[in-house]
Amino acid sequence: MDLTVVAYVAYLLISVGLTVWVARTLSRNGKVFLADVLQGNEKLADAVNHLLVVGFYLVNFGFVALYLSQDDAVLDARRLFEALSVKLGVVLLVLGVMHLGNVYVLNKIRRRGVLERGQVPPVPPQGWTGPAKGGPAGPHGPNPWATPASGA
């Protein structure tokens, strides 16, 4: 069997295995994070988690498939390992960048959710305050937007 074909098979097996392992790890550990981001909505967190995993698979398997081709023939075991190390190194870097991108986006969403939760008033409104009495001049002096034509 040609060593180039062996390199292709080894590259595909290792790349697919790494991608599946990373996706499962991110999915399992990301559920808790997503539940916090989505304020405890477990059903929505599971749906978003599943969509993120599908997108992760599509992007990474697409990259692995596009990066499969080998320009030079692999003639000996040394070149086989060199070709595999370059290809797998690039795949690992892409997996790492994808992971960091996911964490960055989710952290931005989480921070926005924390800020929104912090903006809830501690006590609900208890009444309504009407306009100040005494005509166009309010409590802070005359109304600067009142014009003589408007009767103010």
Side-chain angles (χ1 to χ4, degrees):
M1 181 185 286
D2 184 15
L3 284 180
T4 304
V5 175
V6 172
Y8 288 159
V9 170
Y11 166 72
L12 285 173
L13 289 174
I14 294 170
S15 296
V16 168
L18 283 170
T19 301
V20 169
W21 174 72
V22 170
R24 285 186 177 173
T25 301
L26 293 175
S27 173
R28 184 177 51 250
N29 296 322
K31 277 185 184 179
V32 176
F33 188 74
L34 280 171
D36 181 48
V37 168
L38 299 171
Q39 301 173 6
N41 189 342
E42 293 288 331
K43 193 171 182 179
L44 182 59
D46 286 340
V48 170
N49 194 25
H50 184 71
L51 291 173
L52 285 171
V53 169
V54 168
F56 185 82
Y57 278 136
L58 289 173
V59 169
N60 284 295
F61 286 152
F63 177 78
V64 165
L66 287 173
Y67 201 62
L68 178 65
S69 68
Q70 177 74 24
D71 292 335
D72 300 328
V74 178
L75 302 174
D76 56 10
R78 177 176 157 241
R79 289 197 178 116
L80 173 75
F81 283 105
E82 288 173 354
L84 279 175
S85 70
V86 169
K87 288 191 173 295
L88 291 174
V90 171
V91 168
L92 288 171
L93 287 173
V94 169
L95 285 170
V97 168
M98 290 287 296
H99 168 66
L100 291 176
N102 279 340
V103 170
Y104 176 77
V105 168
L106 291 173
N107 195 35
K108 292 287 261 189
I109 293 170
R110 182 179 164 271
R111 283 187 179 189
R112 186 180 326 145
V114 168
L115 286 175
E116 287 174 2
R117 280 182 262 173
Q119 292 178 353
V120 175
V123 178
Q126 299 169 351
W128 174 262
T129 304
K133 294 184 180 180
H140 302 290
N143 185 350
W145 290 280
T147 59
S150 67

